[in-house]
Amino acid sequence: MAGQGTIQFLLFSLMPALLAAVRINAKGQQTLYLAQGDSVKLGCPYVLEPEDNGAEDLDIVWTMMNTEQKLPLLIYQDQKVRYGSAPGLPQRVQFVAPDPSHYDASIYLANLQMSDSASYECRVKKATVDTHVITIMVLEKPAAPQCWMDGEPVWGQDLTLKCSSNGGSVPVSYQWSKMGGNYASSWLPSGAVQAQGSGDLVIQHLSQEHSGTYCCRVTSRVGSNQCMVHVSVSRPGYSGSKNVGLIVGSVLGSIFLLILLLTLLWALLWYCKRRHCHPGVPIEIRDSAAGTPCRGGPLHPCHGCSHHVSYTPCQK
């Protein structure tokens, strides 16, 4: 009796292996971090025993499982595809293969939203059942950060560069680097120290070596963004504001000198013109009555008859 019971137990244990089996060729439970607006393929390839091929009695069910409930997402039954009750997804989900009975139950999920964060179970059933679970975490990419200098770049002094991103899913990390040359992406000059856990970069004892463009990259699990700030370190004894004042003063002085020269030139031309203006030579000296030389009247000391003298006008 004991031997017969042992044989029955062994046969009972081997029965699942003797039946046609379903096996999903995928890794264990997966977790994917994806950006809002992205699309994703959720893989669920499977195999059947040779004697159990065909679409008859094949059921494929994708289920969306969140903390509140389990909702059917996409279903293949009786060789037909239909959508489940998960809200807002019918327009964004579909099987990858035109016919899921051809050993591929994978699906596409498009235009991911934050509300799509959940675990998704693929369940393939024929004579037996196998399942595969994929968890999706939908995150927002980092917003474009802002970069600025906290203070003025003065030779020998310290300067802090700041970087901040006010949008996107946390956690995020900040990484400063100095651009140019053949430097590695994370290269920083000596004396530049990045604060832990923030977007601050402290540059100690500024020198000409620290002049240049600095890039701040903010990164999360699903993307990155960056901004830049330019640092120009003045040499000792040089003041940018004083230099600007000297340039402006030089320009104004040049304009004033030009106006003065033009005024002097105009005055000189006017004076020379006045010097050349004088009475003309008489064009006719005759007696007013007879048309003969003056008689009986006083003579002009220069032009003869005083009662009939004509002159040419001054040239203006």
Side-chain angles (χ1 to χ4, degrees):
M1 293 293 293
Q4 185 178 0
T6 303
I7 293 173
Q8 289 178 348
F9 176 76
L10 290 174
L11 290 174
F12 180 79
S13 301
L14 291 174
M15 283 183 64
L18 298 176
L19 295 174
V22 172
R23 185 174 70 255
I24 295 176
N25 291 332
K27 299 178 180 178
Q29 184 168 347
Q30 297 174 274
T31 300
L32 305 177
Y33 293 91
L34 303 166
Q36 184 176 9
D38 285 353
S39 298
V40 63
K41 174 185 174 182
L42 303 183
C44 188
Y46 63 92
V47 294
L48 300 173
E49 293 298 331
E51 63 272 16
D52 199 28
N53 287 339
E56 294 81 7
D57 300 323
L58 176 65
D59 291 346
I60 300 172
V61 179
W62 275 93
T63 304
M64 178 182 182
M65 304 182 297
N66 53 32
T67 56
E68 300 176 354
Q69 55 189 343
K70 296 182 179 181
L71 298 173
L73 177 65
L74 194 60
I75 301 167
Y76 177 82
Q77 283 181 337
D78 301 327
Q79 304 180 39
K80 295 180 181 179
V81 176
R82 60 186 178 88
Y83 293 97
S85 57
L89 287 175
Q91 296 78 23
R92 299 190 287 119
V93 64
Q94 64 180 13
F95 281 107
V96 172
D99 186 353
S101 66
H102 292 172
Y103 315 112
D104 190 2
S106 305
I107 61 172
Y108 278 125
L109 187 55
N111 191 23
L112 290 171
Q113 306 299 313
M114 305 290 281
S115 58
D116 295 334
S117 295
S119 293
Y120 295 81
E121 180 190 67
C122 174
R123 182 177 181 270
V124 182
K125 177 185 176 183
K126 188 127 187 192
T128 59
V129 177
D130 199 6
T131 60
H132 177 56
V133 177
I134 303 174
T135 299
I136 293 178
M137 298 297 295
V138 183
L139 306 175
E140 184 181 359
K141 292 181 180 180
Q146 299 293 322
C147 293
W148 72 95
M149 289 186 295
D150 186 11
E152 293 294 330
V154 179
W155 188 287
Q157 301 296 317
D158 294 348
L159 178 67
T160 300
L161 304 183
K162 289 186 171 291
C163 178
S164 178
S165 176
N166 295 323
S169 301
V170 295
V172 296
S173 62
Y174 295 90
Q175 179 66 56
W176 279 97
S177 61
K178 188 172 186 289
M179 309 297 291
N182 297 319
Y183 307 136
S185 59
S186 59
W187 181 85
L188 286 172
S190 60
V193 180
Q194 183 166 341
Q196 293 294 329
S198 73
D200 292 355
L201 178 70
V202 180
I203 307 176
Q204 301 172 338
H205 307 296
L206 286 171
S207 65
Q208 196 66 32
E209 175 192 8
H210 299 117
S211 292
T213 300
Y214 291 79
C215 174
C216 173
R217 180 179 293 271
V218 56
T219 305
S220 71
R221 289 179 180 268
V222 295
S224 63
N225 222 320
Q226 66 184 30
C227 59
M228 296 185 184
V229 61
H230 185 75
V231 176
S232 180
V233 183
S234 305
R235 293 185 178 276
Y238 173 85
S239 171
S241 58
K242 290 182 179 179
N243 187 59
V244 171
L246 289 174
I247 294 174
V248 172
S250 299
V251 172
L252 293 177
S254 299
I255 294 174
F256 176 77
L257 182 60
L258 179 62
I259 293 174
L260 181 61
L261 289 175
L262 290 175
T263 303
L264 292 175
L265 180 62
W266 179 84
L268 181 61
L269 291 175
W270 180 83
Y271 177 75
C272 292
K273 189 174 182 180
R274 294 289 295 175
R275 289 277 296 173
H276 285 83
C277 181
H278 55 80
V281 179
I283 58 175
E284 183 181 11
I285 305 175
R286 301 184 63 85
D287 184 83
S288 58
T292 57
C294 297
R295 291 181 297 176
L299 294 176
H300 189 277
C302 296
H303 307 296
C305 300
S306 59
H307 60 278
H308 188 75
V309 179
S310 61
Y311 304 92
T312 55
C314 294
Q315 299 296 323
K316 295 184 179 180

